[in-house]
Amino acid sequence: MSEDVPVLRVEGLSKRYGEKPVLEDASFSIREGELKILIGPSGGGKSTLLQCINYLVKPDAGRIWLDGDEVVPARKRELYAYRQKVGMIFQDFNLFDHLTALANVQIALSKVRKLPRDEARKRAVMELERVGLKDHIAKYPAQLSGGQKQRVSIARALAMDPKVMLLDEPTSALDPELITEVLAVIRDLGLEGMTMLMATHQIGFALDLAHEMIFMEDGRIVETGPPRKILSTADCDRTREFCGKLTDLYGEAR
Amino acid sequence: MGELLFLQQDVFPALMQGLWVTIQLIIPSSILGLAAGVAVGAVRVYGHPLAIRAGNVYVTIFRGFPLVVQLFIWYFGLPHIGIYLTPFTASVLGFTLCSSAYHSEYVRGAFMSAKRGQMMAAEALGFSRLQLIFSVMLPQAFRRALPGCGNELIYLIKYSSLAYMITCIELTGQGKIIASETFRFTEIFMIVGVIYLFLTTVSSWGIRRLEARLRLPGFEHHRM
């Protein structure tokens, strides 16, 4: 893989619901091993952007390249193959309620990647160990805490060997202690070189690890830059105003 | 003493023969009806808009026509276009189509109450639409639909008594024959009724057993 080719490149992604544009002409790219953070007010288009990237929401316009190859979502097989390489983590976990933690991780390995049963199982156990849930593999989602559920969902995504992970406010539904355990897992992923695009308001985490911060509002990417700059000396007034509130709420930008 | 002999020699063998036909009608009709109902229900939730419309028309017709009229059409109507069904086949066909229309409503409701998030999660993992319906949505929908589908099974057991209208002599048909021969309508139809009660009781017990077996953490119902 050439150094110059980003893992993920997005050009002119747009989406409107009726008359209301929710995503307008979003363009960016992520290189291997980078962690980019999406911030911005609710309804600003962060979720829509993430969901358009793997076509969970069908964008009205825009092109996407993975490892330099353009994705053609109209070809179903290609779309399914592309989605396997783009891991997605949701705010409310979205585990399969009728399956144990182990089966949640195993099912896509068996059904989508068609791995033999034993191999799928072994891989699923390994991924659950990696997120620290070795002792909980037989539990159902209803028996797990929020933090544990989110870690299962991370294991489920990792088992598919994604090239890039999209994380949509993975800690917003969790209390502070659980946030820490989930962030620790994501931090390890980042340190291992996983390429990630993450919507979050955890600015401490962002300052420590993010390579770049993207501020979105009203469906537009307003400003992009290093986290420290965006959080304290952003060029755009609106970015400064929003980030000022964030730092007030979640503590000083260290 | 004569009474007991009459019951033993005439009534009992005839009713048992009828019961056997009833059971033979119910088993294929319930299995095929449920399978078709799940398929129609899934299509009506996840299908192409045209397929959804076709499914709705199907349900409107088979739920709207009186069952006995449907049976007449299959048995007396089809020969006009050169298709001859035995009374038994025509009955199973009629029961299956009608039952599946009702099942599809229970199944449709269960699919609709499924969380959109889990569909998105499956799609994001690269599941095809069919894979996600079968391996993610259906196992959950089935659990939610089961009480309703059990209800439909009970109905089916009772409306199988219409088969004798197209000369498929099952339990009710046998009862009617002996009753007309002996003019003992009350006793014989009491016995017939109790046999149906037995069938429906066993079935609802079976459904409850199945519900208990399929119960998972997060799917249990909570008492107030």
Side-chain angles (χ1 to χ4, degrees):
Chain A
M1 188 61 47
S2 140
E3 281 278 305
D4 307 335
V5 178
V7 175
L8 185 73
R9 182 176 152 218
V10 170
E11 279 296 336
L13 216 53
S14 301
K15 175 75 187 172
R16 49 174 64 233
Y17 289 119
E19 283 298 291
K20 190 178 182 291
V22 282
L23 189 61
E24 277 186 281
D25 198 22
S27 303
F28 66 92
S29 59
I30 306 185
R31 287 172 195 289
E32 194 167 344
E34 273 187 324
L35 166 61
K36 295 201 176 188
I37 299 278
L38 279 174
I39 55 165
S42 306
K46 302 183 302 278
S47 282
T48 308
L49 172 60
L50 291 171
Q51 291 179 4
C52 280
I53 290 175
N54 61 1
Y55 299 96
L56 289 181
V57 168
K58 201 173 157 233
D60 298 327
R63 298 166 72 187
I64 296 171
W65 291 261
L66 184 74
D67 279 342
D69 298 322
E70 183 163 5
V71 186
V72 184
R75 297 194 199 122
K76 290 287 177 210
R77 261 170 211 291
E78 260 180 50
L79 174 64
Y80 300 149
Y82 164 72
R83 281 173 174 164
Q84 287 180 50
K85 293 183 210 140
V86 179
M88 181 100 185
I89 303 299
F90 300 87
Q91 181 177 340
D92 38 12
F93 329 127
N94 292 339
L95 293 185
F96 306 132
D97 287 335
H98 66 300
L99 297 176
T100 61
L102 180 65
N104 259 283
V105 182
Q106 202 178 332
I107 186 168
L109 293 171
S110 306
K111 304 277 176 192
V112 180
R113 286 180 65 181
K114 315 272 186 213
L115 292 187
R117 223 182 108 87
D118 290 346
E119 209 174 308
R121 194 190 144 87
K122 230 158 91 184
R123 179 68 198 266
V125 172
M126 198 188 94
E127 292 300 343
L128 285 164
E129 279 176 11
R130 183 170 164 190
V131 297
L133 291 175
K134 195 177 172 215
D135 301 330
H136 302 279
I137 61 172
K139 288 190 182 163
Y140 285 90
Q143 298 166 315
L144 297 170
S145 74
Q148 289 168 337
K149 282 189 223 181
Q150 194 59 293
R151 287 189 282 154
V152 173
S153 94
I154 293 171
R156 181 173 69 174
L158 289 177
M160 304 301 280
D161 293 319
K163 302 236 169 184
V164 56
M165 296 265 278
L166 310 174
L167 301 97
D168 191 359
E169 303 205 22
T171 57
S172 298
L174 304 173
D175 71 40
E177 281 176 308
L178 302 180
I179 288 175
T180 316
E181 75 181 47
V182 171
L183 285 183
V185 169
I186 298 172
R187 181 185 307 262
D188 287 347
L189 275 183
L191 296 176
E192 286 164 28
M194 176 60 75
T195 313
M196 292 187 276
L197 177 63
M198 174 172 171
T200 187
H201 293 140
Q202 299 294 325
I203 51 169
F205 178 83
L207 279 169
D208 279 356
L209 286 164
H211 298 91
E212 193 175 73
M213 215 168 216
I214 300 171
F215 178 73
M216 281 190 82
E217 186 172 45
D218 295 333
R220 294 176 171 280
I221 293 180
V222 176
E223 193 169 352
T224 302
R228 212 159 283 280
K229 174 163 192 281
I230 295 285
L231 284 171
S232 44
T233 56
D235 295 331
C236 168
D237 292 344
R238 181 61 188 122
T239 313
R240 270 203 306 277
E241 187 192 344
F242 182 82
C243 293
K245 294 214 170 96
L246 267 188
T247 30
D248 285 349
L249 261 177
Y250 297 107
E252 280 302 301
R254 282 170 286 163
Chain B
M1 200 55 209
E3 190 75 353
L4 200 65
L5 216 62
F6 162 70
L7 281 176
Q8 244 177 18
Q9 289 190 338
D10 299 319
V11 177
F12 192 69
L15 291 187
M16 282 306 112
Q17 201 187 329
L19 173 62
W20 177 230
V21 176
T22 292
I23 289 170
Q24 282 176 301
L25 284 171
I26 291 168
I27 289 174
S29 304
S30 60
I31 293 169
L32 294 173
L34 181 61
V38 167
V40 174
V43 163
R44 290 175 68 206
V45 178
Y46 301 116
H48 185 275
L50 282 176
I52 293 177
R53 190 168 294 180
N56 291 345
V57 170
Y58 173 88
V59 172
T60 307
I61 290 174
F62 288 99
R63 228 169 34 152
F65 268 52
L67 180 56
V68 71
V69 174
Q70 293 180 41
L71 293 178
F72 286 160
I73 290 170
W74 300 132
Y75 187 60
F76 297 116
L78 285 186
H80 288 295
I81 54 166
I83 300 170
Y84 294 86
L85 300 178
T86 64
F88 179 80
T89 313
S91 304
V92 170
L93 178 67
F95 296 158
T96 301
L97 294 176
C98 177
S99 198
S100 67
Y102 282 97
H103 277 308
S104 88
E105 276 296 86
Y106 299 119
V107 172
R108 185 172 72 98
F111 272 125
M112 286 195 311
S113 71
K115 293 171 201 141
R116 162 91 181 115
Q118 292 185 46
M119 273 180 82
M120 289 209 295
E123 283 181 332
L125 287 165
F127 279 75
S128 72
R129 208 146 168 82
L130 214 56
Q131 281 174 331
L132 88 86
I133 292 170
F134 272 98
S135 27
V136 178
M137 307 322 274
L138 184 58
Q140 299 185 42
F142 188 71
R143 287 181 167 83
R144 284 193 214 100
L146 201 52
C149 293
N151 201 26
E152 176 53 28
L153 174 63
I154 306 289
Y155 273 119
L156 171 66
I157 290 170
K158 289 182 296 172
Y159 59 61
S160 73
S161 67
L162 288 174
Y164 88 92
M165 301 286 281
I166 54 167
T167 72
C168 177
I169 304 304
E170 36 62 77
L171 182 55
T172 308
Q174 288 287 4
K176 193 159 184 298
I177 290 169
I178 315 170
S180 336
E181 281 169 0
T182 60
F183 293 101
R184 298 194 183 222
F185 288 92
T186 313
E187 296 96 319
I188 287 174
F189 281 115
M190 277 300 284
I191 299 173
V192 168
V194 168
I195 296 174
Y196 278 109
L197 181 63
F198 171 75
L199 287 179
T200 54
T201 309
V202 169
S203 305
S204 52
W205 173 79
I207 297 282
R208 275 203 306 274
R209 281 284 305 259
L210 186 61
E211 274 179 47
R213 253 188 89 105
L214 293 179
R215 193 165 298 148
L216 295 176
F219 285 82
E220 58 277 88
H221 50 86
H222 300 284
R223 290 176 201 288
M224 296 285 278

